Amino acid sequence: MLWDLNEAKHLYSLEAGDVVNALVFSPNRYWLCAATASCIKIFDLESKYVGSHSGDLVLMLMCDISRSIVDELKPERSDTSKVKEPMCVSIAWSADGQTLFGGFTDDLVRVWSVIS
């Protein structure tokens, strides 16, 4: 749930659909990123819309007249074994907001770049 602390009122709720391990706000956009058990979800807080797209290593910012469409990021895997998918347990933005870092349970840090 997101709250307006000045007005002490509930603004709206966002549904992640999974266990949320970490949250981070983008430093230069109205985005809230959630590291969940299955992926990284990026919510656009201006439009209250969460976009869904197969996870690439590049996060594409696509502009629509009414809203920005953001992504649901999943790690690419080179092996096709039946090993459990890694969970994202930590996320952070670079200071300029152009790069998103995700720490996963397979001991890898994955990096996504925003292209606008």
Side-chain angles (χ1 to χ4, degrees):
M1 288 191 273
L2 293 175
W3 291 83
D4 181 335
L5 298 179
N6 294 326
E7 301 287 325
K9 70 176 190 175
H10 174 256
L11 297 175
Y12 52 88
S13 297
L14 299 170
E15 180 58 48
D18 212 339
V19 174
V20 175
N21 297 316
L23 293 170
V24 66
F25 287 96
S26 168
N28 61 348
R29 292 175 184 81
Y30 290 104
W31 289 354
L32 173 64
C33 301
T36 72
S38 60
C39 65
I40 297 173
K41 290 195 177 193
I42 303 176
F43 296 92
D44 181 340
L45 299 180
E46 283 186 309
S47 68
K48 300 177 192 96
Y49 176 81
V50 60
S52 180
H53 186 276
S54 63
D56 296 326
L57 284 180
V58 176
L59 169 66
M60 302 288 287
L61 173 63
M62 304 159 98
C63 293
D64 187 326
I65 294 172
S66 62
R67 65 180 179 235
S68 294
I69 299 172
V70 289
D71 217 337
E72 186 175 283
L73 306 172
K74 295 184 179 186
E76 287 187 2
R77 302 213 15 206
S78 57
D79 62 17
T80 56
S81 64
K82 295 184 180 186
V83 177
K84 186 176 178 181
E85 291 287 324
M87 288 191 309
C88 186
V89 293
S90 64
I91 48 177
W93 282 99
S94 62
D96 65 1
Q98 295 301 309
T99 308
L100 179 65
F101 302 91
F104 287 79
T105 55
D106 60 356
D107 298 329
L108 292 177
V109 174
R110 291 174 172 85
V111 180
W112 290 270
S113 297
V114 175
I115 299 175
S116 54

